[in-house]
Structure formats: C-alpha cells, structure tokens
Amino acid sequence: MCGWRNTSDPSALIQGLHRQPVLAVLRPRHIHEARHQLQLLQQAGLRHVELAVQAEEVWVGMARSLVMEFPGLRLGAASVCTPAGLQAAIAAGLGYVVSPILDPQLLQQAADASITLVPGVFSPSEVAAAVRWGACAVKLYPAASLGSAYWRSLAGPLHPLPFCIAAGGLSIADVPDWIKAGVDAVALGSTLFSGAGEACALRPGLPDLLTVLSG
C-alpha cells in the first residue's frame, strides 16, 4: 500500500523522508493563506507538507490547485479520520494521507485506492497492530506527551520497529533530539510560523535544520 499516487515507486514516501526527515502540517483557512505558507516552506527548502483535510468540495478544489501550483512539493493530507476525508484527499490528487488514529478499515480503504496511509499510534499494542494490518509507516502521536526516549524503548519487545514519524507539540528545536532518539522523521505544525494569515512569517531555524539533516 506504500507509494505516491503519481509514481510507480512503492517506497517513495519513506525514501523521501530518509533524505529529508521533516514534514510540515498546515491548517490554512483559505487558499491565499495556504499559498503564502507553502511559498515560505518551499523557499526554506522543505519538501514534505501535509494539508489538514476537510471533506468539502471547496477544500478539494483548493488542495487540487495547490498540487498544480507547487509541483516541487510532496503534498499529502493530514488529520484523515473518516472515509469521507480519505476520499477528499484522493479527489484532490494528494500523494499520501496521515491519520491521528489507527483504523483498520481506513487502512484497507486506502490500500484499495492505492494511496499510502500513515496511521497514528500511541501504545505498543497500536504499533503492533499497525504493522500487522500492513502499515508501511506510523505516526507517533501526540509525541510531546511521550518524550523522545519512548520510541526507542519499544525496540526490544517490538523489533523491528516500523518507520516512524513523530508528531504533536514539537518545535524546530526539538527535531535533532528526536531524530537522535530513534524516530525516522518529525512533523511540525503551528510552531513553524509566527503571526497569522497571509502576514505570518517562518520562525528562524528551519533552513539551517534542513541543511544539517540533509548533510
């Protein structure tokens, strides 16, 4: 089930995150805000960006336009918890979907549609179940409440651990420690920006972080 919808390489998402292990998660209120934030992230050198899904035609149209406008970015859908959200992401032409929850039916529906879904996990049981149900990667959420040492502590009883994206409450400054602690990638949300709307600015540190991680 792993793979970008616009490529035949089934491991493209994981390969891309190995090269640059940072994702941005955006919750824009309208296309102008989304376009502004994506331009800032693209200028900083970021490649992977998730757009929080809304199962509405307006959102689908916005996301589809952004896919066309930003071909250099790997755009996916965030916060996908329902079949309607999954269908909205597919209709928008996004390359992958990420969920805060672990739902076997949603995983199967994504597999049937040939789109990668990264489910959310919190407990050892959820990690094991995600692997058993065929997930090629998991989202550790909310990561900040667990601490950076948590993921590695699961390595003994659950070896081999799946590819892991830590998300939830983390900032640019947190990324190096989490990568050193064993997660494979880190997702960042509102902590990336200061200000609001089209007047928001990227907080310092992201370009330097990407250079270090890609070195």
Side-chain angles (χ1 to χ4, degrees):
M1 65 179 271
C2 302
W4 296 101
R5 287 180 60 74
N6 59 355
T7 180
S8 60
D9 183 355
S11 59
L13 173 59
I14 290 176
Q15 288 179 355
L17 288 173
H18 274 308
R19 289 190 292 269
Q20 188 185 87
V22 181
L23 304 89
V25 181
L26 306 185
R27 300 184 182 279
R29 293 166 294 181
H30 47 72
I31 192 168
H32 305 295
E33 182 178 18
R35 186 180 291 121
H36 176 63
Q37 292 179 338
L38 288 173
Q39 288 170 343
L40 292 175
L41 293 170
Q42 184 168 256
Q43 291 166 5
L46 193 71
R47 297 291 305 280
H48 305 90
V49 183
E50 302 169 33
L51 304 171
V53 74
Q54 297 177 32
E56 301 172 357
E57 289 186 11
V58 171
W59 182 88
V60 171
M62 179 191 76
R64 188 183 294 126
S65 295
L66 295 172
V67 169
M68 298 296 292
E69 290 180 41
F70 294 90
L73 296 178
R74 293 178 168 176
L75 298 179
S79 303
V80 176
C81 299
T82 65
L86 177 62
Q87 290 305 314
I90 293 170
L94 296 171
Y96 59 99
V97 297
V98 182
S99 177
I101 64 172
L102 177 61
D103 183 334
Q105 292 183 338
L106 205 59
L107 276 166
Q108 185 60 55
Q109 290 165 353
D112 292 343
S114 299
I115 186 170
T116 299
L117 187 149
V118 179
V121 296
F122 186 82
S123 69
S125 295
E126 289 177 336
V127 175
V131 172
R132 186 168 64 252
W133 293 331
C136 61
V138 297
K139 169 184 174 177
L140 185 64
Y141 178 84
S145 66
L146 294 168
S148 60
Y150 177 79
W151 186 248
R152 183 166 288 170
S153 72
L154 302 181
L158 297 181
H159 180 79
L161 289 172
F163 187 95
C164 177
I165 302 168
L170 303 179
S171 68
I172 293 172
D174 295 321
V175 174
D177 286 342
W178 278 83
I179 297 295
K180 290 177 183 176
V183 302
D184 298 287
V186 176
L188 303 173
S190 60
T191 59
L192 281 168
F193 300 99
S194 59
E198 295 172 73
C200 75
L202 197 62
R203 293 187 187 275
L206 183 60
D208 291 340
L209 172 67
L210 297 178
T211 298
V212 170
L213 293 176
S214 301

